[in-house]
Amino acid sequence: MIKKLFTEKLYVKISRNRFEIIKVSGDLAVEVVSPPEPFSTSRLLIGEFRLAERHLSNGIKKVLPKQFLKKSPEILMHPLEMIEGGLSEVEEKILREIALGTGAHKVEIWLGEELTPQEAVKKLENA
């Protein structure tokens, strides 16, 4: 119960050079980040690590409300492209690290169909 006071749940859908950040706890909020500088490369969804982390962080700041006590997000990362055959260990680490670099205290990765906000909350709670 107290945990809910200090955390926010986010569902991040990742496409080539695009993040869709959805706040799925409390009031729903959505931010789409499509930076002018590409963070994807021809071989990797996240090929430019620092650039992707910075843009994800800026998008999360827009979605989360400004409060006296900063809430630490739980993030469900969902790559939508370039996942044929699953993710390599390196790709999973990249996704986790960019989310942790934004201040997340919990990161989960989802491969599958796009989720509703309620489904994303359940995935984070059951992980």
Side-chain angles (χ1 to χ4, degrees):
M1 185 67 163
I2 292 177
K3 182 180 170 184
K4 288 184 179 183
L5 296 173
F6 299 104
T7 62
E8 292 283 3
K9 291 180 177 22
L10 302 176
Y11 176 35
V12 178
K13 295 189 262 185
I14 309 159
S15 303
R16 289 176 207 240
N17 301 311
R18 183 176 190 269
F19 292 115
E20 183 177 349
I21 305 160
I22 306 165
K23 181 173 154 273
V24 293
S25 57
D27 294 333
L28 194 67
V30 178
E31 179 69 25
V32 175
V33 178
S34 295
E37 314 95 357
F39 58 78
S40 297
T41 63
S42 60
R43 296 184 326 163
L44 293 169
L45 191 55
I46 307 290
E48 299 292 332
F49 184 87
R50 287 187 184 98
L51 189 61
E53 185 179 57
R54 183 176 67 222
H55 288 299
L56 180 60
S57 181
N58 290 339
I60 287 172
K61 287 176 187 172
K62 291 178 182 177
V63 167
L64 294 181
K66 301 235 185 281
Q67 296 180 335
F68 180 68
L69 291 175
K70 185 179 176 188
K71 294 185 177 185
S72 178
E74 294 179 356
I75 301 177
L76 181 62
M77 300 290 280
H78 186 184
L80 300 174
E81 299 180 66
M82 302 175 79
I83 54 172
E84 296 78 24
L87 295 177
S88 70
E89 207 175 286
V90 172
E91 291 168 315
E92 284 189 27
K93 184 161 180 71
I94 290 169
L95 292 174
R96 285 187 196 289
E97 290 296 320
I98 66 166
L100 291 170
T102 67
H105 74 275
K106 177 180 178 181
V107 180
E108 295 297 325
I109 298 172
W110 169 250
L111 293 178
E113 298 295 319
E114 290 190 41
L115 303 172
T116 65
Q118 296 81 12
E119 291 170 331
V121 168
K122 285 183 183 177
K123 293 279 182 205
L124 283 166
E125 288 175 348
N126 294 335

